[in-house]
Amino acid sequence: MADEELKKNIGYAAADAMVKSGMKLGLGTGSTAKWAIRRIGQLLKEGKLSDIIAVVTSSQSEIECQNAGIPMVTLNDPKIDGHLDLTIDGADEIDPDYNLVKGGGGALLQEKIAGYASDHYAVLAAGDKLVSGIGPGFKVPVEVVREARVTASKAMEALGAVPEVRMAVKKMGPVITDNGNILIDLHFEKPINPPEMEQKINMIPGVVETGLFTKLKKLDAFIGYEDGTVKHIKVR
Ligand code: 5RP
């Protein structure tokens, strides 16, 4: 099945199974999460969902929400008061303990703020993103303030990583995130301990956040396969 069709199946399956009227939602970023946003918009228009308010996680998901007609507020809005019922988002890798790597689309900071503020999380991914260990595969993204590019890179090297500043396409210089920071992608030769590494990286001065998601509360996974089927796993 074509990649895009499978992503659509995954996004639709998650929205259909997880989103209920009245929910306060965190809406993720990426080519899979966008289909969940579009489906929620469709269900609102058809009157099958109502009273949804959403917190977006990037300028991409903001545009998707605007196009889908989903009402948006910020996480600080008194209607949300820093607490979400459910966040739906994609992932770059998922390990056997359901630790996630995120940030391939550069939106990890707002994604983590929303995800960690949610009672429930739904992760969306194709089956080829399930890995036996994090580190040697997809590079772990870290958002860093610009002034700390060199110092943070050295500190991450000392943790066993090979750091690489993410460069922009169609613009000279580094990628600048929605929050005005840079991204440093980390390659590890051997699998890491994700919860431990998340904590260690977050201790480095100038690091804003890492793309390791290890502390999500209640978690469901929607995993898509080449034949177009989507498996719904109630992880915890
Ligand atoms: C963006 C993310 C995305 O959720 C992640 O990169 C997966 O994206 P896609 O569904 O396009 O593969 O973390 O920062």
Side-chain angles (χ1 to χ4, degrees):
M1 159 169 283
D3 226 32
E4 202 58 17
E5 272 303 297
L6 179 58
K7 289 175 182 180
K8 183 175 175 182
N9 286 357
I10 299 169
Y12 273 40
D16 288 350
M18 304 293 293
V19 181
K20 310 278 177 253
S21 292
M23 275 188 165
K24 298 165 185 172
L25 295 177
L27 293 177
T29 302
S31 54
T32 319
K34 81 173 182 204
W35 287 110
I37 298 176
R38 290 178 186 184
R39 179 63 168 169
I40 294 163
Q42 196 179 67
L43 294 172
L44 281 169
K45 280 187 193 112
E46 290 170 1
K48 293 178 181 150
L49 278 179
S50 57
D51 299 324
I52 295 291
I53 42 173
V55 170
V56 295
T57 54
S58 63
S59 42
Q60 183 220 12
S61 53
E62 182 181 13
I63 292 168
E64 285 291 339
C65 265
Q66 284 163 345
N67 291 341
I70 302 172
M72 286 172 284
V73 291
T74 71
L75 200 53
N76 298 318
D77 190 288
K79 287 196 281 295
I80 297 277
D81 200 25
H83 168 256
L84 295 165
D85 298 309
L86 170 72
T87 290
I88 301 184
D89 206 348
D92 298 301
E93 276 190 347
I94 303 175
D95 82 359
D97 295 324
Y98 285 88
N99 295 306
L100 314 181
V101 178
K102 289 188 46 57
L108 66 94
L109 174 58
Q110 292 181 56
E111 289 178 331
K112 189 177 273 189
I113 295 170
Y116 279 24
S118 282
D119 285 343
H120 206 145
Y121 195 89
V123 61
L124 322 181
D128 59 1
K129 291 182 173 180
L130 300 172
V131 296
S132 58
I134 287 170
F138 195 90
K139 291 177 186 158
V140 176
V142 181
E143 184 155 344
V144 174
V145 298
R146 286 189 252 185
E147 291 80 356
R149 176 174 52 85
V150 173
T151 54
S153 293
K154 285 184 180 172
M156 293 188 282
E157 255 169 20
L159 295 175
V162 179
E164 185 184 303
V165 174
R166 194 181 302 180
M167 301 308 281
V169 179
K170 295 197 179 178
K171 168 204 170 266
M172 302 309 287
V175 167
I176 302 298
T177 68
D178 285 344
N179 319 294
N181 301 308
I182 58 167
L183 293 164
I184 300 182
D185 294 314
L186 304 181
H187 174 72
F188 294 89
E189 215 163 282
K190 293 188 190 133
I192 56 168
N193 176 325
E196 212 176 271
M197 193 57 78
E198 180 185 20
Q199 221 163 352
K200 283 185 179 166
I201 294 172
N202 275 341
M203 294 294 290
I204 298 170
V207 165
V208 182
E209 194 46 84
T210 86
L212 293 166
F213 284 50
T214 71
K215 296 172 187 67
L216 297 165
K217 295 166 201 153
K218 207 169 168 205
L219 178 66
D220 284 43
F222 290 81
I223 307 297
Y225 294 93
E226 262 179 29
D227 62 0
T229 56
V230 179
K231 196 169 162 190
H232 178 181
I233 305 160
K234 293 179 190 216
V235 179
R236 58 177 179 258

